[in-house]
Amino acid sequence: MSNPYQASPPPPQPPPFTPGAPQGRGSNKFVVFLVLALVVGGAYGASKVLGADKGKSSTSTSASPSAKPTAKDPGSPESSSDTSSAWKVGDCGGPDASKGADAYKRTGCSDSGASFKAIDIKEASILPGSIQCPAGTDVMIEVSISYNGGKSSGIPTNTVCGRNLSNEHPGDAGAGGGQLVKGDCVTSQAKEVPCGGSGALKVLGLVKTKEECPSGTTDPIRLTISVGRPYDVICTDG
């Protein structure tokens, strides 16, 4: 017969937790689940960040025309406008009404809209006066590229020196248009005018200083300083 007053032995206690010791199967499942959750969460966050960056950096590049007139002084183009980018000597062009009053586009030389032919292609410059087209240039067209399909002013790439297909050539010496060249005429205020008119002064040379004017010069006209222009004095016969 057992002793009713004898105390029962205490229930067995779980072994103490020891860092680094193997744990039960249930705890292993929890650790694996936690690791997977962290990996999936990190991958999702990275994809969102990369996707956002990709969306911000994607841009489209295209060439589009937009008008950009330049100052009309003796050293600047008489008219200027953006056009398509792949111009070469011998190409023809004409007004592009869909892009603006001062816009031009390339056309076939036999097209009804063709108005000029490219006689030279110059590198673009942020200083319009530094670009000197050959004699006989009636129109100067600035070519630039706009990004993201924009129609606003773009990055200048070239300048097209064009000669009219018609019999009108204001760029010829003495005709009163185009860039100022030797043989043109100006007023006492250095404005280009057709030769033969009242007050027209014949241009004998375009130089940097009055001392460089050729013989026969009686009324040299000193211009205001313009960065890039290859001359500062117009030598006239007065």
Side-chain angles (χ1 to χ4, degrees):
M1 181 175 180
S2 62
N3 184 358
Y5 299 102
Q6 183 178 358
S8 301
Q13 299 294 322
F17 173 77
T18 302
Q23 301 299 308
R25 185 174 301 175
S27 61
N28 285 342
K29 289 182 178 180
F30 175 77
V31 171
V32 171
F33 173 79
L34 179 61
V35 170
L36 288 175
L38 291 174
V39 171
V40 172
Y44 176 77
S47 66
K48 296 294 286 182
V49 172
L50 293 175
D53 289 343
K54 183 178 180 181
K56 291 178 181 178
S57 61
S58 61
T59 57
S60 60
T61 304
S62 62
S64 60
S66 62
K68 186 180 180 182
T70 58
K72 296 181 179 180
D73 64 34
S76 298
E78 180 142 318
S79 64
S80 178
S81 169
D82 293 355
T83 58
S84 59
S85 58
W87 282 80
K88 61 183 182 296
V89 173
D91 283 344
C92 291
D96 187 359
S98 66
K99 302 299 183 180
D102 296 320
Y104 293 84
K105 63 181 179 181
R106 282 190 303 141
T107 66
C109 291
S110 60
D111 290 356
S112 60
S115 62
F116 66 90
K117 177 180 285 189
I119 59 176
D120 200 1
I121 308 295
K122 299 290 188 180
E123 291 294 327
S125 174
I126 59 174
L127 305 172
S130 66
I131 301 173
Q132 296 295 303
C133 281
T137 298
D138 297 315
V139 62
M140 295 174 67
I141 309 298
E142 183 184 84
V143 180
S144 64
I145 294 179
S146 298
Y147 294 90
N148 293 323
K151 294 184 179 181
S152 59
S153 300
I155 301 174
T157 58
N158 294 104
T159 295
V160 177
C161 306
R163 184 165 176 83
N164 289 339
L165 294 175
S166 68
N167 292 326
E168 297 181 4
H169 298 293
D172 285 350
Q179 283 188 305
L180 192 65
V181 296
K182 183 179 178 180
D184 278 334
C185 291
V186 296
T187 66
S188 59
Q189 300 300 313
K191 179 181 178 180
E192 185 177 1
V193 294
C195 293
S198 176
L201 308 174
K202 190 71 168 284
V203 176
L204 303 180
L206 301 168
V207 296
K208 296 296 289 184
T209 65
K210 293 181 179 180
E211 291 72 23
E212 298 176 80
C213 283
S215 60
T217 300
T218 58
D219 190 10
I221 302 174
R222 181 162 188 83
L223 304 173
T224 56
I225 295 176
S226 177
V227 179
R229 187 180 58 210
Y231 59 89
D232 294 322
V233 176
I234 302 175
C235 310
T236 73
D237 61 2

